Amino acid sequence: PNLTLDHRALIDAGINDWGGISPVTSDFINPERAWPEIDALARTTVAAGYELAERLTVYPEYARADRGYLAPRLAKRVFDLSREGGLAVNQYAGTRTAS
């Protein structure tokens, strides 16, 4: 998202994951380009009809303990850090609900 100012065009083109963005680290791949402000990216995402939601480093479909991709202790920690659907609990995503 730091390669263009037209984030809506990326959404309209079908992007479904912004990749890693951070308010505290620089982009090590493109250090000359700052990350977009998360609040601005959230507004653009919501205006396009989507929710900006943080994911963990493991994609949601692999985060479920019953899938067998993660060791049991790690699977428990991932569950504790995620909300229903496998996305991370954060200020944009809300809170995890019991399933």
Side-chain angles (χ1 to χ4, degrees):
N2 60 338
L3 299 179
T4 182
L5 297 176
D6 189 359
H7 298 121
R8 180 61 189 252
L10 296 175
I11 294 170
D12 292 344
I15 191 172
N16 66 359
D17 190 324
W18 289 114
I21 57 173
S22 172
V24 295
T25 63
S26 61
D27 181 354
F28 296 105
I29 305 300
N30 299 297
E32 69 282 355
R33 301 293 298 261
W35 294 118
E37 291 183 17
I38 293 176
D39 289 339
L41 195 59
R43 285 190 299 273
T44 301
T45 302
V46 168
Y50 299 97
E51 172 189 23
L52 181 64
E54 182 180 358
R55 67 169 167 78
L56 301 171
T57 55
V58 59
Y59 284 94
E61 59 266 27
Y62 298 104
R64 292 182 34 209
D66 63 342
R67 295 289 303 263
Y69 290 102
L70 301 173
R73 284 180 49 201
L74 183 58
K76 181 186 180 327
R77 183 69 175 133
V78 167
F79 177 81
D80 291 344
L81 294 171
S82 63
R83 62 185 172 124
E84 187 173 359
L87 294 171
V89 174
N90 74 5
Q91 64 178 336
Y92 297 109
T95 58
R96 180 177 53 82
T97 57
S99 53

